[in-house]
Amino acid sequence: MTKPHSAVANGSFDVELVRADFPALSLEVNGHPLTYLDNAASAQKPRQVIDRMVTAYEREYSNVHRGLHYLANAATEAFEHARETARAFLNAESIDEIIFTRSGTGAINTVASSLGQSIEAGDEIVLSIMEHHSNIVPWHFLRERKGAVIKWAPVREDGSFDLDAFKALLGPRTKIVAITHMSNVLGTVTPIKEIAAAAHAVGAKVAVDGCQAIVHMPVDVRDLDVDFYAVTGHKLYAPTGIGLLYGKKELLEAMPPYEGGGEMIREVTEETVTYGVPPHRFEAGTPPIVQAIGLGAAMEYVQSIGRERIAAHEHDLSAYAHERLRALNSLRIIGTAADKGAIISFEMKGAHPHDVATIIDRYGVAVRAGTHCAQPLLARYGATATCRASFALYNTRADVDRLFDALVKAQDLFA
């Protein structure tokens, strides 16, 4: 069991103790304390993760599996411990259901490329209009190359997911439902359990983009009854270059490999190749060893604080941020669904989002500006770009206040 963090002693949540774990948060930008609100793009890393990776490089590094020497055994043990940590983090039934990938994008492409081999012309894939491009383009490949049909589930004006409209899209030709658990633009949390039940009722498989949701809430893949769940590390306080795919064991065993190479085989002759069993069937070549160890350390860090506690802290921040930013008449907030995650996307009247982001950066406030890799969603709201402030477990109400003050200065400049 992971030891509780000192920040949560006696059931409290001391955000300043949490902030002390993150070296980047002590930086100054343009003479101002860094106010980092670009977490939906990538989160900062705690010292516990950084130190664990340094130890892996300095004292445990070798290639994993098959080696018989001390360092190979040490690296393999640490690598597979990370897999078990991930299994527990998602409440998967078996470590055989946890595949390490290079990213969340890599996880989604694994499903689309492997499961997609069974797609025929006219088969239907249902997406939501909220999807990140990483959960659109791999399915578009199947439309482009195999004649699949893509259908789009809508959202209401407030950004909430329209479950009834989604269900109306399902039918006998629906083969795959690929959908986000939490929108990276709106913060909308989709009713994945109900979505999965409806999709399974028509015989479709359910692949979930969990790259945002996994950061902000507890996720139980068995309770949700999803077939696949994609996760990225760099948003979850882990390094870049690592993600994972959860897949139900029986489905993974029936799926052809995504990539070929070493590790994913059982036997190779001049005439035949026999593939290994999951998860190794889908982990061709040398894996991201230290990155996976870093991901495991990040998950343990999050567990030491408690995901319910983190969710409550971020919910408070999100409510406070919405309250403050609504006071700025020049802002249009896009996405106000109930129980949304801690993300606020907005436009400022008379100013391009890139200009707004540049101005507030002068005051040390970091937000994302652009399309957020979600162009179909922005088109639905008649926008070409937005600013996005996104919150993490280390953010505070003081960060919200600094965002507000910087936006006031930008508003005055562009008025």
Side-chain angles (χ1 to χ4, degrees):
M1 176 177 287
T2 303
K3 181 181 178 181
H5 194 288
S6 60
V8 299
N10 302 317
S12 63
F13 182 85
D14 189 332
V15 69
E16 294 303 324
L17 286 178
V18 171
R19 288 176 64 83
D21 291 335
F22 291 81
L25 299 183
S26 63
L27 295 174
E28 286 194 351
V29 176
N30 298 320
H32 298 272
L34 172 64
T35 302
Y36 189 80
L37 301 176
D38 194 19
N39 298 286
S42 202
Q44 298 300 325
K45 318 306 173 192
R47 178 62 65 188
Q48 290 86 338
V49 170
I50 297 168
D51 289 347
R52 182 66 189 90
M53 293 178 67
V54 170
T55 297
Y57 275 123
E58 291 182 344
R59 302 173 64 89
E60 299 172 337
Y61 185 75
S62 179
N63 215 323
V64 294
H65 306 133
R66 298 183 304 281
L68 300 177
H69 57 82
Y70 170 81
L71 283 178
N73 290 333
T76 299
E77 182 178 349
F79 181 74
E80 292 301 332
H81 175 75
R83 197 189 305 273
E84 167 56 26
T85 300
R87 183 212 63 76
F89 200 77
L90 292 169
N91 195 34
E93 186 172 355
S94 168
I95 59 170
D96 296 340
E97 297 178 321
I98 302 297
I99 298 164
F100 285 126
T101 63
R102 62 177 175 82
S103 60
T105 299
I108 294 168
N109 274 274
T110 297
V111 179
S113 297
S114 183
L115 192 66
Q117 292 186 38
S118 64
I119 291 292
E120 299 177 351
D123 286 345
E124 295 172 358
I125 302 168
V126 178
L127 312 179
S128 85
I129 200 67
M130 295 184 289
E131 300 311 312
H132 189 282
H133 294 167
S134 293
N135 204 30
I136 296 175
V137 179
W139 308 108
H140 170 75
F141 286 167
L142 298 178
R143 173 170 58 184
E144 185 179 63
R145 301 169 185 176
K146 305 199 73 171
V149 175
I150 292 180
K151 293 188 172 183
W152 298 89
V155 294
R156 302 182 183 91
E157 187 61 27
D158 67 351
S160 57
F161 182 75
D162 192 331
L163 184 60
D164 290 335
F166 161 77
K167 289 180 178 179
L169 297 174
L170 302 177
R173 295 303 301 270
T174 306
K175 301 301 179 184
I176 300 169
V177 171
I179 199 158
T180 185
H181 196 173
M182 176 177 163
S183 168
N184 74 308
V185 176
L186 305 175
T188 299
V189 178
T190 54
I192 289 296
K193 193 170 184 176
E194 291 84 352
I195 288 169
H200 288 154
V202 299
K205 300 297 185 290
V206 180
V208 178
D209 174 1
C211 292
Q212 292 293 337
I214 196 70
V215 183
H216 302 288
M217 66 187 74
V219 172
D220 184 332
V221 291
R222 281 191 277 182
D223 179 64
L224 295 174
D225 193 28
V226 296
D227 299 302
F228 305 96
Y229 198 94
V231 173
T232 194
H234 68 97
K235 302 180 196 297
L236 190 60
Y237 315 106
T240 54
I242 185 65
L244 66 82
L245 173 67
Y246 158 80
K248 288 181 177 177
K249 187 175 180 180
E250 63 271 20
L251 296 179
L252 295 178
E253 289 174 338
M255 285 165 50
Y258 168 44
E259 293 181 308
E263 180 65 19
M264 50 76 65
I265 51 82
R266 180 174 294 167
E267 184 179 38
V268 176
T269 72
E270 292 184 9
E271 304 296 333
T272 63
V273 175
T274 304
Y275 304 127
V277 298
H280 304 297
R281 178 185 297 180
F282 299 97
E283 293 181 351
T286 296
I289 299 165
V290 178
Q291 290 85 349
I293 293 169
L295 175 60
M299 289 179 167
E300 289 174 347
Y301 180 83
V302 169
Q303 291 284 57
S304 75
I305 296 172
R307 284 186 279 178
E308 292 85 357
R309 194 174 283 110
I310 291 169
H313 172 71
E314 291 177 347
H315 179 77
D316 174 75
L317 279 180
S318 182
Y320 181 66
H322 277 81
E323 178 185 352
R324 292 233 62 189
L325 267 56
R326 276 196 297 265
L328 294 173
N329 294 330
S330 65
L331 294 191
R332 174 199 180 197
I333 297 176
I334 298 176
T336 57
D339 299 321
K340 61 175 283 188
I343 292 174
I344 304 180
S345 291
F346 58 89
E347 297 175 308
M348 179 176 285
K349 185 177 180 180
H352 192 280
H354 289 168
D355 295 328
V356 174
T358 299
I359 294 301
I360 66 176
D361 178 61
R362 296 178 183 175
Y363 303 97
V365 179
V367 299
R368 181 71 34 168
T371 67
H372 318 297
C373 293
Q375 289 176 305
L377 177 62
L378 292 190
R380 183 257 180 263
Y381 286 99
T384 57
T386 69
C387 287
R388 181 187 66 191
S390 49
F391 301 90
L393 60 87
Y394 45 63
N395 288 122
T396 66
R397 286 192 170 206
D399 289 334
V400 175
D401 293 338
R402 284 192 286 268
L403 169 65
F404 177 86
D405 292 343
L407 287 172
V408 169
K409 292 180 172 68
Q411 178 181 261
D412 292 344
L413 179 64
F414 293 116

